[in-house]
Amino acid sequence: MDKKVTVIGAGNVGATAAQRLAEKQLCDVVLVDIVEGVPQGKALDLNEAAPIEKHDSHLTGTNSYEDSAGSDIVIITAGIPRKPGMSRDDLISTNAGIVKSVTQEVASRSPEAILIIVSNPLDAMCHVAFDTCGFPKERVIGMAGVLDSARFRAFISMELNVSVENTHAFVLGGHGDTMVPLPRYSTVAGIPITELLAQDRIDALVERTRNGGAEIVSLLKTGSAYYAPASAAVEMAESILKDKKKILPCAAYLQGEYGCQDLFIGVPVKLGSKGVEDIIEITLTDEEKQALQKSAAAVQELKDLLKTLG
Ligand code: APR
């Protein structure tokens, strides 16, 4: 295939993302992990599924970053996932070190790549990758809003018993407890959910969306969600690889937009072959603005914490 995507981390999210990229025939995939044998085994297994799944994407599993050279996109999922009782923020010191080292490895070998960060705490890990790679801000993007809004959409569709395809949802802000689901901009067949659901039901869906990751962690007990996170990262990759210019909520580096300065946070962006091609500023009510500011303050706190970690 003429496009190449490297996925760093052959664990739950990384391997599932590799599978979805291949099955959608978007690109060849290089799966890199620090553990010997695991990326090789998973890539071989996926290649052996290809005749049945009918795709010609080739997967390479490796422990060597040399194989990642010249990638169009690098999806970074390396790191530890949370366990029950942990917040995403509890992962910061371990994952900051991992994300820094893998970013160094990939940036030198794929200087034109677009980085999609998945490791948590997401917004802080975007800062680590951005500071390490030296790429322009358009080429470092965090996966969070697509996942959070997919969760919101799933809950809206369950509540109203309508097709998920009719749903649309916006979730802004940091990928944590302070995220900002926006019911006014969330619709079913174009109708805002504020016209379809009572306020207490909307509040319940918003709360479930905020806790969507924790709900899965408490069920799985040994790790965190991966099917939906992988789908979300692949939707972003597809929009870039096919230059679709989809408007998707992603963590982007803001320089004044939404009143945020030098901060990665979830906002609607246009994703195309150049990466973040536009940041869309939507009108927010005072209450929504306050919620976004609170979320930005929480991300800023983590950004400051990163400095103390060195
Ligand atoms: N280089 C390459 N791979 C690494 C490194 C490293 N320095 N450190 C860890 N890994 C690999 C692990 O060996 C493992 O295979 O990252 C993989 C992580 O996989 P899982 O433990 O299954 O975690 P996963 O559920 O995929 O989550 C990964 O994404 O959604 C976030 O919060 C989640 O930060 C976590 C990340």
Side-chain angles (χ1 to χ4, degrees), residues 9-13 33-35 65 77-81 95 98 102 118-120:
N12 284 334
V13 179
D33 202 283
I34 202 165
V35 180
Y65 283 91
T77 78
I80 52 165
N95 284 356
I98 293 173
V102 305
V118 178
S119 310
N120 276 312

Side-chain angles (χ1 to χ4, degrees), residues 87-263:
S87 86
R88 294 181 183 91
D89 299 355
D90 294 331
L91 309 172
I92 192 163
S93 59
T94 307
N95 284 356
I98 293 173
V99 170
K100 186 173 178 181
S101 74
V102 305
T103 303
Q104 279 164 344
E105 300 283 2
V106 296
S108 57
R109 293 174 175 89
S110 299
E112 300 305 322
I114 291 169
L115 305 185
I116 298 177
I117 315 302
V118 178
S119 310
N120 276 312
L122 189 274
D123 309 272
M125 292 308 104
C126 290
H127 277 283
V128 172
F130 182 59
D131 291 346
T132 307
C133 68
F135 290 1
K137 63 179 180 162
E138 293 76 19
R139 291 201 277 121
V140 180
I141 316 162
M143 185 294 291
V146 177
L147 168 63
D148 297 327
S149 52
R151 286 181 171 145
F152 198 12
R153 291 175 63 190
F155 301 146
I156 292 167
S157 112
M158 290 173 201
E159 180 77 15
L160 289 168
N161 192 25
V162 294
S163 167
V164 288
E165 288 183 48
N166 279 140
T167 63
H168 184 83
F170 253 124
V171 179
L172 306 186
H175 186 48
D177 304 338
T178 60
M179 73 177 72
V180 188
L182 292 178
R184 283 189 319 124
Y185 286 103
S186 301
T187 59
V188 173
I191 309 160
I193 60 164
T194 45
E195 292 187 23
L196 298 171
L197 286 167
Q199 190 59 46
D200 63 326
R201 291 311 305 153
I202 293 177
D203 293 345
L205 301 191
V206 163
E207 204 43 33
R208 192 170 180 195
T209 301
R210 283 210 181 98
N211 295 322
E215 185 177 359
I216 306 253
V217 171
S218 70
L219 290 166
L220 295 180
K221 296 182 184 69
T222 54
S224 51
Y226 53 100
Y227 292 118
S231 293
V234 170
E235 182 177 33
M236 292 166 64
E238 182 174 24
S239 190
I240 294 166
L241 292 168
K242 293 186 177 170
D243 194 25
K244 284 173 77 83
K245 303 193 192 296
K246 274 190 175 178
I247 310 292
L248 296 170
C250 301
Y253 190 69
L254 302 189
Q255 288 177 304
E257 300 91 345
Y258 289 94
C260 296
Q261 197 61 46
D262 302 330
L263 203 66

